[in-house]
């Protein structure tokens, strides 16, 4: 898994009644975009270190004009 600052991390709920959560990646601590990441959850603003598992998906920022 590779991510950059500003990407969104979608964490799927693993138990019935637990909703999916979205977090913004605010710092990449691994080499070449690898985990762990410092994230801020959108629903409550909580920040933590996170090493995503198979229940997580990175949503990359859309490249703007002149960006790759």
């Amino acid at each position: 898994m590779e991510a950059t600052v500003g990407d969104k991390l979608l964490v799927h709920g693993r138990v019935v009644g637990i909703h999916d959560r979205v977090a913004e990646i605010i710092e990449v601590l691994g080499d070449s975009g690898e985990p762990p990441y410092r994230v801020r959850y959108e629903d409550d603003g909580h920040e933590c270190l996170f090493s995503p598992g198979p229940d997580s998906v990175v949503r990359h920022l859309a490249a703007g004009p002149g960006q790759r």
Side-chain angles (χ1 to χ4, degrees):
M1 179 174 289
E2 291 183 21
T4 59
V5 172
D7 287 348
K8 302 291 182 172
L9 189 63
L10 173 63
V11 183
H12 296 289
R14 296 181 295 170
V15 178
V16 173
I18 302 297
H19 300 285
D20 293 352
R21 294 184 79 189
V22 177
E24 178 181 358
I25 297 174
I26 57 176
E27 185 177 6
V28 176
L29 299 167
D31 294 329
S32 302
E34 296 292 321
Y37 307 121
R38 180 172 306 279
V39 301
R40 180 183 303 117
Y41 287 98
E42 291 185 345
D43 58 350
D44 63 3
H46 177 78
E47 292 183 13
C48 65
L49 289 179
F50 190 78
S51 291
D55 57 345
S56 303
V57 178
V58 173
R59 292 183 176 166
H60 300 284
L61 284 174
Q67 296 179 336
R68 298 180 71 180

